Amino acid sequence: MMTIVKNNWKLLTGIVLVIVLVSTYLFSDDNLQTTTFPDLLEQENKELFVLNTALDTKVQDLKIQAENLQEIINEKDQQIYHLKQTLDENINRINNYSVLELERFFARLKTDSIPH
């Protein structure tokens, strides 16, 4: 009978020890998470801030490139406008030529003729 009581005490002591160890681990883990969670959030916030700053710089660079491209487009539009205006003036001038003036105009043109 004494052996059964000793074995029960050993079992009971082992169970209590396991409960103490598990509860200590759980409570220490909660404390660890409580103290490090704000630190993790702060670290994540710092990383996002750096990333955001880099993206802001890239956006600013792209805006400058877009403005430069828009200036080039505006210049090309002006060139096209002036070329069309000159073309229209030339067409109108030629359109108003008399038959004699048209003959003189086309007589001045040189063409390459290839013998057949």
Side-chain angles (χ1 to χ4, degrees):
M1 182 80 129
M2 199 60 157
T3 320
I4 295 174
V5 172
K6 282 184 180 180
N7 286 339
N8 284 340
W9 279 105
K10 287 180 184 178
L11 181 64
L12 186 60
T13 306
I15 292 173
V16 168
L17 229 126
V18 168
I19 291 173
V20 168
L21 287 174
V22 168
S23 64
T24 304
Y25 174 75
L26 290 175
F27 287 117
S28 68
D29 192 36
D30 285 344
N31 289 337
L32 179 65
Q33 287 180 353
T34 305
T35 57
T36 60
F37 189 67
D39 293 337
L40 291 174
L41 288 177
E42 185 176 338
Q43 179 63 28
E44 182 73 17
N45 191 29
K46 287 178 182 177
E47 291 172 6
L48 289 174
F49 181 77
V50 169
L51 182 61
N52 192 33
T53 303
L55 288 174
D56 284 344
T57 303
K58 187 167 187 168
V59 166
Q60 190 61 30
D61 290 344
L62 290 174
K63 282 183 180 179
I64 291 170
Q65 286 179 1
E67 289 172 3
N68 291 339
L69 290 173
Q70 188 61 48
E71 288 176 13
I72 292 170
I73 289 170
N74 291 340
E75 289 174 9
K76 297 298 179 186
D77 283 345
Q78 285 295 320
Q79 289 175 354
I80 290 170
Y81 172 77
H82 290 300
L83 287 172
K84 284 182 178 180
Q85 194 173 11
T86 303
L87 179 64
D88 288 343
E89 289 172 1
N90 287 337
I91 289 173
N92 287 334
R93 191 179 76 240
I94 293 171
N95 198 26
N96 291 330
Y97 280 177
S98 66
V99 173
L100 184 60
E101 290 172 322
L102 284 172
E103 286 177 0
R104 286 185 197 152
F105 176 78
F106 285 111
R108 288 183 292 162
L109 294 179
K110 296 185 180 185
T111 59
D112 293 333
S113 46
I114 301 173
H116 293 93

